[in-house]
Amino acid sequence: MAFRQMERETQAPEPDAPLLIFDSGVGGLSVLDAVRKALPDAPIIYAADNAGLPYGSKSEAEIAARVAGLLGRMAERYRPRLACIACNTASTIALGMVREVLHIPIVGTVPAIKPAAEITETGTIGLIGTEATIRQEYVDNLEAEFAHGKTLLRLAAPDLVAAAEAKLRGEPVDSASIEQAARRLTMMASGNRIDVLVLACTHFPLLSAELQEAFGPDVRLIDGAEGIARRIASLTQGQSFARSRPDRAVFTRNEAGLAGLKDALARRGIEEIEIL
């Protein structure tokens, strides 16, 4: 049994086996953009747990159980060659559990504290994310390992998740929430010295232009999307890619707002929408 399982795990995937990119909502599209550039021929399923959105206000136990359960169902149904948890909150909480459940490579998303610490000149780094992400011990460990001797200022900015979702649907962006987040962070002790801002939620790069305007040209925005894409490309190096059907998005709940996402999905090569 052990030998057969090992053989199954090391066997090359079928060319049409997709990459599964999972998020609580549409924030993971910022990761999809980077993956498209790195692997333009890879078949992709983008999965959004909109029925569970937002993750940031849920308990760790709720998030871990939900993410592991959903990815288990999706892996059984769609047979992906690799799954990417394109959500900082889900990754910092559930990555270990998911890796125990699934026998495929799992790529997580973590706050880009290491590269931020390497490029800061003032030694003061800002970090915005969900409530659940910024309180994680995982983030404490990243700070201790990579930002020792520097100042990391964290801010929970849950309103920006809704702002990013609205922007993708073509609705007006709530600029007041973005300006308020910038004001709250820069008003912290040493906040006026921030020169690098870590976007510790995959929704937030979708608001890069608005965030850049709010924080000013002297603050550099950084996220982990390109690093994730490089990791996925490395793990699938030498594999064959071919599409047997159009790329699609999978949502966990049918709702009126999905119609407003069709254009944003189509611009990213997602031609079909499916409800799990």
Side-chain angles (χ1 to χ4, degrees):
M1 176 68 74
F3 176 80
R4 284 198 296 271
Q5 181 175 345
M6 182 181 298
E7 184 181 52
R8 183 172 65 250
E9 291 174 8
T10 57
Q11 186 177 0
E14 294 296 324
D16 64 349
L19 303 174
L20 176 64
I21 300 178
F22 173 88
D23 184 32
S24 58
V26 295
L29 292 176
S30 63
V31 175
L32 172 60
D33 290 341
V35 173
R36 285 287 196 207
K37 292 178 181 178
L39 297 169
D41 297 326
I44 288 175
I45 293 177
Y46 181 83
D49 181 20
N50 58 321
L53 188 72
Y55 279 5
S57 59
K58 289 180 168 55
S59 71
E60 281 79 356
E62 286 180 292
I63 293 169
R66 186 173 185 88
V67 172
L70 279 172
L71 283 174
R73 287 173 60 194
M74 292 178 184
E76 184 175 355
R77 176 175 294 192
Y78 302 116
R79 303 293 183 185
R81 70 181 72 207
L82 174 150
C84 171
I85 303 178
C87 173
N88 284 268
T89 300
S91 294
T92 56
I93 294 169
L95 186 59
M97 180 181 290
V98 172
R99 283 177 170 158
E100 290 179 1
V101 172
L102 302 186
H103 299 293
I104 56 174
I106 309 295
V107 177
T109 308
V110 297
I113 293 173
K114 180 181 179 181
E118 292 172 349
I119 64 175
T120 179
E121 296 181 1
T122 65
T124 302
I125 303 163
L127 183 150
I128 55 174
T130 67
E131 303 102 314
T133 293
I134 69 168
R135 69 173 181 251
Q136 291 306 309
E137 183 180 358
Y138 193 103
V139 179
D140 297 339
N141 294 338
L142 288 174
E143 179 181 2
E145 183 175 358
F146 300 115
H148 179 71
K150 296 178 172 60
T151 301
L152 180 69
L153 302 178
R154 309 183 199 182
L155 177 71
D159 291 347
L160 300 192
V161 173
E165 297 261 339
K167 181 178 180 179
L168 274 185
R169 290 193 297 268
E171 300 170 5
V173 175
D174 181 10
S175 59
S177 64
I178 297 171
E179 292 166 2
Q180 182 184 44
R183 186 164 53 251
R184 289 169 57 202
L185 191 56
T186 55
M187 287 181 65
M188 293 181 181
S190 301
N192 62 336
R193 291 175 51 79
I194 292 173
D195 65 344
V196 182
L197 180 66
V198 178
L199 307 183
C201 173
T202 54
H203 278 80
F204 295 172
L206 302 173
L207 298 169
S208 290
E210 293 83 357
L211 286 165
Q212 192 70 74
E213 182 176 354
F215 280 90
D218 296 331
V219 176
R220 182 172 174 179
L221 309 185
I222 187 167
D223 65 83
E226 291 186 0
I228 296 166
R230 287 194 298 271
R231 179 60 177 159
I232 292 174
S234 174
L235 289 170
T236 58
Q237 187 173 9
Q239 295 180 8
S240 299
F241 295 114
R243 288 183 177 85
S244 59
R245 60 175 294 176
D247 289 348
R248 60 199 187 276
V250 177
F251 292 87
T252 55
R253 178 175 62 194
N254 194 3
E255 56 188 14
L258 296 186
L261 295 174
K262 286 185 177 179
D263 287 345
L265 293 171
R267 288 195 299 271
R268 293 168 169 84
I270 302 294
E271 301 180 29
E272 298 179 358
I273 292 179
E274 180 179 322
I275 308 301
L276 184 66

